Amino acid sequence: MQDLKVTIVQADLFWEDREKNLEHFDNLLSPVRETHLIVLPEMFSTGFSMEAKQLAENMHGISVSWMRTKAKEKNAVITGSLIISDNGNYYNRLIWMHPNGMLEYYDKRHTFSLAGEDKYYAHGESKIFPEVEEWKVLPLICYDLRFPVWSRQSPPYTEHGIHPYHLLIYSANWPERRIYAWQQLLRARAIENQCYVVGVNRVGNDGNGIYHSGHSAVIDPMGEPELEIAIDEKVETITLNAQHLLSIREKLPFLNDRDEFELRR
């Protein structure tokens, strides 16, 4: 397992304007070179909108096609969530696009009822564990961060073994008014799962006048911040140290003592 280069894109979003957002991300990603993984915010092509019927696209739509083109161009996995229509339902769907054009996806399980997301979007039922450069990853979306059981490293009897993933990702539109919770929960998820955590948030005001202050971050498996971006639009590439991760898990095998449980909803 080699070190992993991750590029986080903290951006302001044009409200419900897919074309402007994709053009904006083209510009932001233009200088990016030599990375393995690019992480975008939640609903990066529209902002966190409840206009699902108006804004949804299918899996062959312009935003998914843009991700496929960009992944090939950068020779890197690119991920972030979109508003997707599928089989009569609308989803806040995270796309995991490989450079070869193949994709995997995760539908947000914890829809944000405070904003009515649960009234417009169906919730997902299962996680994915995609791989990039031998790193197993668990990609989740925003509000999922508040529910630690959903990100908990699985018990030994699962097919993934004791450590089903090395990296936990949150693609988010997390408002400034609750940014302290964002910062603390990212650290908690890293510590309790002994993994790297990458949280990518947006900046600026959305169409409802809700301000987002960014604070995208990379947290190491001990809960120490390795990178944090404050309130500006910024693209940063950071290298995650594989030996650091594996050494912590070997020296401090806390997860061997964790509880087994069955998840129900």
Side-chain angles (χ1 to χ4, degrees):
M1 192 168 122
Q2 64 177 359
D3 293 348
L4 186 72
K5 292 184 178 181
V6 179
T7 300
I8 61 178
V9 186
Q10 180 169 285
D12 199 352
L13 303 179
F14 295 93
W15 186 245
E16 298 179 348
D17 194 328
R18 183 178 294 110
E19 286 72 21
K20 281 188 177 180
N21 282 312
L22 296 183
E23 181 180 0
H24 187 46
F25 280 107
D26 272 333
N27 293 330
L28 289 172
L29 291 173
S30 179
V32 172
R33 300 288 187 275
E34 296 183 2
T35 189
H36 299 120
L37 171 62
I38 299 168
V39 186
L40 307 179
E42 177 183 23
M43 292 191 183
F44 69 87
S45 68
T46 59
F48 187 63
S49 173
M50 298 303 105
E51 295 293 337
K53 185 175 181 180
Q54 172 188 337
L55 297 171
E57 56 187 278
N58 62 34
M59 293 294 283
H60 302 286
I62 183 174
S63 299
V64 177
S65 296
W66 177 88
M67 294 180 78
R68 180 171 284 109
T69 298
K70 195 59 58 177
K72 181 178 180 181
E73 174 189 321
K74 299 299 180 181
N75 192 30
V77 170
I78 187 165
T79 190
S81 88
L82 302 168
I83 301 174
I84 296 292
S85 174
D86 191 356
N87 200 28
N89 290 315
Y90 300 110
Y91 295 96
N92 184 347
R93 178 169 289 178
L94 180 141
I95 306 295
W96 185 272
M97 185 65 72
H98 295 273
N100 64 4
M102 302 297 291
L103 67 82
E104 300 168 73
Y105 65 84
Y106 160 72
D107 294 326
K108 186 179 183 182
R109 179 175 176 86
H110 299 96
T111 49
F112 188 46
S113 58
L114 191 62
E117 187 181 9
D118 57 322
K119 295 180 175 63
Y120 299 97
Y121 297 90
H123 67 81
E125 297 290 348
S126 61
K127 294 173 280 192
I128 60 172
F129 294 91
E131 293 192 24
V132 52
E133 300 298 324
E134 298 184 340
W135 288 63
K136 289 187 174 68
V137 185
L138 174 58
L140 300 177
I141 304 173
C142 201
Y143 193 41
D144 287 329
L145 178 60
R146 286 189 176 271
F147 303 93
V149 173
W150 190 233
S151 64
R152 191 68 169 135
Q153 294 272 10
S154 302
Y157 58 76
T158 68
E159 63 178 323
H160 299 287
I162 293 177
H163 299 296
Y165 63 86
H166 307 101
L167 170 62
L168 177 58
I169 292 174
Y170 292 95
S171 171
N173 272 215
W174 197 284
E176 190 274 339
R177 64 185 70 167
R178 291 184 289 278
I179 205 65
Y180 180 80
W182 164 261
Q183 293 171 303
Q184 303 312 309
L185 292 174
L186 289 175
R187 288 158 175 74
R189 297 296 87 83
I191 293 167
E192 68 197 11
N193 291 294
Q194 291 192 302
C195 68
Y196 277 100
V197 171
V198 171
V200 176
N201 196 20
R202 66 159 293 178
V203 294
N205 288 301
D206 68 14
N208 297 311
I210 297 173
Y211 178 65
H212 301 74
S213 59
H215 290 85
S216 298
V218 176
I219 314 296
D220 89 345
M222 295 297 289
E224 296 286 344
E226 293 199 351
L227 173 69
E228 186 169 24
I229 305 172
I231 60 174
D232 300 319
E233 274 199 328
K234 202 166 186 181
V235 179
E236 289 274 5
T237 298
I238 185 171
T239 299
L240 308 187
N241 188 318
Q243 186 55 46
H244 179 56
L245 168 67
L246 297 175
S247 177
I248 288 170
R249 289 181 170 183
E250 180 180 356
K251 293 177 181 178
L252 302 169
F254 298 140
L255 289 181
N256 291 348
D257 301 322
R258 71 203 180 284
D259 300 311
E260 296 185 6
F261 57 86
E262 181 181 351
L263 187 65
R264 298 178 181 177
R265 182 166 182 171

